[in-house]
Amino acid sequence: MTEPTLPPLPERPAEEVSRDTASGAGIAGVDDTGVPRLVGDLDDIGRGFLSALFDLSFTRFITRRLASVFYLVGLVAIGIAFIATFLWGLISGIGSLWWNVGGGIALILSTLIVVPVVAFLAVVVLRFIIESGVALVAIAENTERTAANTEHD
């Protein structure tokens, strides 16, 4: 039985790094645990939203931050539309039974089948559109990062 390999130890202990950081001679971006913290776009996810929103040069993206909000609002709108259409279809179908029994039954059955299918497809399309936008922004961010890290001859 082989012994599991342990991960390599850091070059300097966390205590030494935190002491150096506290004295001003430390490494930028390292907290008192010795673990580098996120710096850059990932660090700014919760901050600077308004400045990014009103960035007229469009150098910072807000799509990833707002994707979940748009998805939630879309789901609520689809849910309200589903309930309203479903109830309207059932009430109209029941009302139609007085004048046209076959038409009323057809309207009730089509409401029971079509409205849930259309609502499901609407959720799928909403998710697809939001994921497409987020993927497009991720491609743009990765391309920008790649271009910044590529040597220019």
Side-chain angles (χ1 to χ4, degrees):
M1 184 168 146
T2 62
E3 300 245 350
T5 58
L6 298 174
L9 293 174
E11 295 174 9
R12 297 174 23 185
E15 182 180 339
E16 180 183 329
V17 172
S18 68
R19 245 185 290 120
D20 288 347
T21 303
S23 67
I27 302 168
V30 177
D31 61 10
D32 62 350
T33 63
V35 177
R37 63 180 168 81
L38 296 176
V39 180
D41 291 340
L42 293 176
D43 191 33
D44 294 335
I45 286 175
R47 291 180 270 149
F49 175 74
L50 286 177
S51 64
L53 184 63
F54 295 109
D55 176 23
L56 298 178
S57 63
F58 289 92
T59 56
R60 296 187 352 212
F61 299 104
I62 61 169
T63 307
R64 287 186 183 189
R65 298 178 199 179
L66 291 179
S68 59
V69 174
F70 285 138
Y71 188 59
L72 180 64
V73 169
L75 287 177
V76 169
I78 290 170
I80 291 170
F82 168 75
I83 291 170
T85 307
F86 195 77
L87 291 176
W88 176 82
L90 290 180
I91 292 169
S92 296
I94 292 170
S96 296
L97 287 174
W98 298 107
W99 296 281
N100 184 352
V101 176
I105 292 173
L107 184 56
I108 291 171
L109 288 177
S110 63
T111 298
L112 291 173
I113 295 169
V114 173
V115 173
V117 170
V118 170
F120 175 76
L121 291 176
V123 170
V124 170
V125 169
L126 174 68
R127 181 70 186 209
F128 177 76
I129 290 171
I130 291 175
E131 282 183 5
S132 297
V134 169
L136 189 63
V137 168
I139 290 169
E141 288 174 344
N142 290 337
T143 302
E144 184 179 314
R145 235 180 270 127
T146 301
N149 293 329
T150 303
E151 289 184 35
H152 298 288
D153 292 326

